[in-house]
Amino acid sequence: QVQLVESGGGLVQPGGSLRLSCAASGSIFGLNVMGWYRQPPGAQRELVATITSSGMTNYADSVKGRFTISRDNAKNTVHLQMNSLKPEDTAVYYCYVRVLRNSNWGQGTQVTVSS
């Protein structure tokens, strides 16, 4: 079983910053892709950013230039630095990891951008 522990969500004003973190543990032999998805209110879950074990990144167009994903392979952690936050970034953010061919999801952390 894979355990994912997320942290770092909260309430922030427009233009502010937040940093999300996710630590993976358990049966993670073969861990390759790590990343973040989000689900805005009343909408479907969508990709935010992913990063492979070799450091290749992929971002949603809506966050390019504002968000930065990084990972620490030694600690099996992934981080999402979110800058210049907008109200439309409000969502539940889910940590995602792929172990071999299996997808695993965190419980989600709320990010609210509001004045």
Side-chain angles (χ1 to χ4, degrees):
Q1 234 178 351
V2 176
Q3 290 82 46
L4 299 175
V5 178
E6 301 157 329
S7 60
L11 173 64
V12 64
Q13 292 186 342
S17 298
L18 281 175
R19 179 178 169 87
L20 305 182
S21 296
C22 175
S25 62
S27 302
I28 56 173
F29 176 79
L31 176 63
N32 43 77
V33 179
M34 303 183 80
W36 295 90
Y37 283 69
R38 67 186 181 187
Q39 187 165 13
Q44 292 187 335
R45 194 173 296 188
E46 61 186 24
L47 168 74
V48 177
T50 59
I51 184 168
T52 67
S53 54
S54 61
M56 290 182 62
T57 58
N58 181 41
Y59 292 93
D61 287 343
S62 59
V63 307
K64 284 180 181 177
R66 300 188 297 122
F67 291 10
T68 302
I69 191 169
S70 61
R71 68 187 278 175
D72 183 334
N73 289 330
K75 296 182 179 179
N76 299 311
T77 57
V78 62
H79 308 283
L80 185 68
Q81 178 65 43
M82 304 186 292
N83 298 329
S84 302
L85 282 160
K86 304 175 181 179
E88 51 263 43
D89 294 317
T90 294
V92 178
Y93 283 69
Y94 294 91
C95 178
Y96 164 82
V97 302
R98 191 172 73 203
V99 179
L100 298 175
R101 296 181 180 180
N102 300 315
S103 295
N104 300 272
W105 298 92
Q107 292 188 332
T109 185
Q110 178 69 45
V111 171
T112 301
V113 185
S114 175
S115 56

